[in-house]
Amino acid sequence: MQADFFAKKRRNSIGFFAILAAITVGAIIITEYDIVKGFESLPRAVTWALGNFYPTQESLVKLPDILSSLIETLLVSIAATSIGAVFALFFALMGSNTTRVNAFFGSISRAIATLFRNIDVAAWALILLFSFGQSSLTGYFALFFGSFGFLTRAFVETIDEVSGGSVEALRATGANYASIIFQSVIPSSVPQMLSWVLFMIETNIRSATLIGLLTGSGIGFTFNLYYKSLNYDIASLVVVTIIISILLIESISNYVRRVIL
Amino acid sequence: MTPLLEVNHVSKQFGNETKALSDVNFSVSEGEFVSIIGPSGAGKSTLLRCINRMIDASNGEIIFDNMNVMNLKKKELKMVRTKIGMIFQHYNLVNRLSVIENTLHGNLGKKSTIAGALGLYNQEEKEQAVKILSTLGLVEHIYKRADQLSGGQKQRVGIARALIQNPRMMLCDEPIASLDPNSAKVIMDHLRNISTTMGITVLVNLHQVDVALKYSDRVIGINHGQVVFNGTPKDITKDDIQRIYGSEAEDLIFDIGGIHAS
Ligand SMILES: Nc1ncnc2c1ncn2[C@@H]1O[C@H](COP(=O)(O)OP(=O)(O)OP(=O)(O)O)[C@@H](O)[C@H]1O
Ligand SMILES: [Mg+2]
């Protein structure tokens, strides 16, 4: 009996890896991807990057322009995340089994959040291109929708995990809904929610760069502009500023997290 | 004396399968200390939660203070809940708030939406909270965060939160199940004291038969959702214990023998 159990488990894992290997090989054959050639070209790519892709003295002239579009991107990301968080909080309260008003609204708001979460920000950007064209509004809404979906899910889990017991206790004292939310749910879950919001801002700043390529706005657009016009030194300066700002934001949010948690 | 609480023919069905309570009948008079004992899954928690309608019973009638709890509208139900304190096995405090804030939560039922949401309490309420916390031996912890307390201290905050409601009755769902024997004794002594000196009716679910027999005016035994014993600790016999706990009762019978002998 026990031997059977382990033998079955082993068979399952072997089967799983066999299928995985088959898919990999299949994909390589279909796309005609040559592994050897792929790895061979790596050193050449590195040599090229070292030879051309670095900032020079002259490129520093463009720094103010770069910084202003970087700041635009940062602000759009932060704004989209914050507004997304406000909506997410509302939908999470409606969707959580601990705090929902009734089962009907509960499943509706969870369904909406699931829909928004399962469409990637890049896909949102493509969809929204039709409505807003190439502008920062497109990027803003793409980030907003993506953050909303993700944060709703994260907030629901936070609420269920952190405040179940005290919500029950306050209901038993006869407290009204608003009191329960503001005296129990919010104080219990705010630190964890803020932590999720910070994480989302970090993620959004990264996505915003890529989305800028699509929507022709922000730092992504700036990069594209110089890269396409063969100004590799300036393009690399853009990359450096992006990396520095991401590291900066990450250390700020790590600091905030340490203080609040 | 008219009873404060009457439970008549109460049943509770979860889904189609689980019958948690079937035709439960008993009554409790003002100021009485009643323990409810029974094996795991017998329906003790369900019964307690039906009384303040944290769970809606399927059938029957629950009369508290001459009101039929099961027919109450939302507003009236909140009113009734303000008169019933509740204490939990896992304390159910807001961990990130201070002891005094958690205690004052007991007053939320009497507050308007705005005052409750903002947590506005007047001087009188704060003084009362301090007074209650002092009697429970928590003066030096008033401004500590709840998660910095020991289990026994947390449970005393739970009692404080219930007491500030100025309740007619306390429902306690295994208040000492997560505590060491010393802290458990402190909690049980406080509950007994609340009942004796303040005249508050106490209904407490317990897993420890010896504790139930020692502290209670009356013991109600539940098995499979049915009341199988209802009487004073003096009247309980080995057969009763056997009926309450079923076939696993051997060790408990030994316990009860020890208690009656001492
Ligand atoms: N929300 C629920 N949904 C479905 N079944 C439930 C629910 N709550 C309780 N039950 C079932 O009802 C029965 C009684 O449960 P209850 O929690 O009242 O027992 P208990 O006497 O408090 O047990 P314990 O001593 O372990 O706390 C159990 O069979 C349990 O599985
Ligand atoms: Mg229970």
Side-chain angles (χ1 to χ4, degrees), chain B residues 14-15 18-20 38-47 55 173-174 205 207:
Chain B
F14 286 111
T18 325
K19 189 131 191 166
S40 199
K44 304 183 294 294
S45 303
T46 307
L47 173 59
I55 298 177
D173 193 8
E174 296 183 23
N205 281 351
H207 261 148

Side-chain angles (χ1 to χ4, degrees), chain A residues 101 164-180 182-184 187-191 260-261, chain B residues 49 52 54 78 81-82 84 86 88 92-94 96-97 105-106 108-109 111-113 116-119 121 161 165:
Chain A
V101 185
S166 55
V167 167
E168 185 188 23
L170 290 206
R171 274 209 307 137
T173 68
N176 57 49
Y177 186 74
S179 304
I180 295 174
F182 285 100
Q183 290 301 313
S184 157
S188 316
S189 37
V190 145
I260 57 174
L261 279 182
Chain B
R49 280 173 173 70
N52 62 353
M54 301 301 284
K78 281 181 187 155
R81 281 180 179 167
T82 62
I84 303 177
M86 193 161 195
F88 307 85
N92 294 15
L93 305 175
V94 180
R96 303 186 56 87
L97 295 183
H105 279 171
L108 287 175
K111 299 222 170 271
S112 69
T113 303
L118 297 178
Y121 306 102
R161 177 175 61 191
Q165 289 179 239

Side-chain angles (χ1 to χ4, degrees), chain A:
Chain A
M1 166 68 199
Q2 210 174 38
D4 265 12
F5 173 79
F6 287 108
K8 194 168 159 216
K9 261 197 122 155
R10 203 157 34 233
R11 265 203 308 282
N12 281 347
S13 345
I14 292 173
F16 176 75
F17 282 110
I19 291 171
L20 198 65
I23 291 175
T24 310
V25 172
I28 288 174
I29 293 170
I30 292 170
T31 58
E32 297 174 353
Y33 172 71
D34 187 336
I35 302 181
V36 180
K37 226 165 157 188
F39 279 100
E40 258 178 14
S41 61
L42 257 185
R44 264 187 295 129
V46 172
T47 327
W48 181 87
L50 288 177
N52 298 284
F53 209 68
Y54 55 84
T56 57
Q57 198 78 45
E58 299 91 71
S59 59
L60 288 179
V61 187
K62 294 288 178 197
L63 194 58
D65 289 353
I66 295 172
L67 285 184
S68 93
S69 68
L70 181 68
I71 287 171
E72 184 197 338
T73 302
L74 292 185
L75 290 182
V76 165
S77 312
I78 292 171
T81 316
S82 323
I83 306 291
V86 172
F87 280 81
L89 178 60
F90 178 77
F91 276 78
L93 287 173
M94 292 299 114
S96 151
N97 286 335
T98 325
T99 55
R100 69 181 184 194
V101 185
N102 60 47
F104 177 70
F105 284 117
S107 30
I108 296 254
S109 50
R110 273 202 307 274
I112 293 174
T114 306
L115 177 73
F116 276 80
R117 193 180 65 246
N118 284 319
I119 300 178
D120 185 66
V121 272
W124 272 122
L126 292 176
I127 296 166
L128 293 166
L129 270 177
F130 292 110
S131 334
F132 299 107
Q134 286 206 318
S135 74
S136 45
L137 263 188
T138 309
Y140 172 80
F141 277 106
L143 294 176
F144 165 65
F145 288 159
S147 316
F148 163 71
F150 178 86
L151 287 178
T152 305
R153 165 77 181 272
F155 287 2
V156 165
E157 276 172 16
T158 304
I159 291 172
D160 285 342
E161 180 188 314
V162 179
S163 44
S166 55
V167 167
E168 185 188 23
L170 290 206
R171 274 209 307 137
T173 68
N176 57 49
Y177 186 74
S179 304
I180 295 174
I181 298 301
F182 285 100
Q183 290 301 313
S184 157
V185 179
I186 302 283
S188 316
S189 37
V190 145
Q192 224 164 311
M193 285 182 178
L194 275 183
S195 177
W196 280 119
V197 169
L198 291 171
F199 168 79
M200 201 68 231
I201 289 177
E202 289 167 33
T203 317
N204 276 348
I205 287 171
R206 279 167 217 164
S207 326
T209 310
L210 291 177
I211 286 174
L213 291 175
L214 280 174
T215 62
S217 58
I219 192 76
F221 173 69
T222 312
F223 172 81
N224 210 16
L225 189 72
Y226 292 118
Y227 183 78
K228 287 261 173 72
S229 57
L230 309 182
N231 286 309
Y232 296 131
D233 53 339
I234 305 178
S236 67
L237 183 63
V238 173
V239 172
V240 170
T241 54
I242 292 174
I243 291 173
I244 290 175
S245 69
I246 285 177
L247 290 177
L248 208 65
I249 296 280
E250 199 167 295
S251 53
I252 292 174
S253 67
N254 279 341
Y255 172 75
V256 174
R257 240 179 234 135
R258 257 204 313 282
V259 173
I260 57 174
L261 279 182

